[in-house]
Amino acid sequence: MAKPKLKTTAAAATETWVKGNRTVTHGAAGKKVSLMVYLSPKVHKLLWIRRVETGIPVTRTIEDAVSKFFKEG
């Protein structure tokens, strides 16, 4: 019996995870998906300092950083 390739198994697991059920909320900004993220205390502090200084919500700061880094298209 042939062993499954790790790449194929990982791709299938990723596809299942991405298409899985998520908690979706609807607000003024449209649909939002709930996701729990663990941050280091240093990053957490930086996000809240930015929030206080600019008034930009932490969620939007994270969304902008991820979109910019991964070049969302």
Side-chain angles (χ1 to χ4, degrees), residues 2-57:
K3 292 183 179 179
K5 294 181 181 178
L6 180 59
K7 187 174 184 180
T8 305
T9 305
T14 301
E15 184 176 337
T16 301
W17 183 82
V18 170
K19 290 182 179 179
N21 294 332
R22 299 284 180 255
T23 303
V24 178
T25 58
H26 302 276
K31 291 183 179 180
K32 295 287 183 176
V33 178
S34 176
L35 175 69
M36 184 178 292
V37 179
Y38 294 95
L39 304 170
S40 69
K42 182 179 177 181
V43 172
H44 183 262
K45 184 177 179 179
L46 288 172
L47 285 169
W48 280 101
I49 288 171
R50 178 177 166 83
R51 169 72 168 110
V52 170
E53 290 177 351
T54 64
I56 298 172

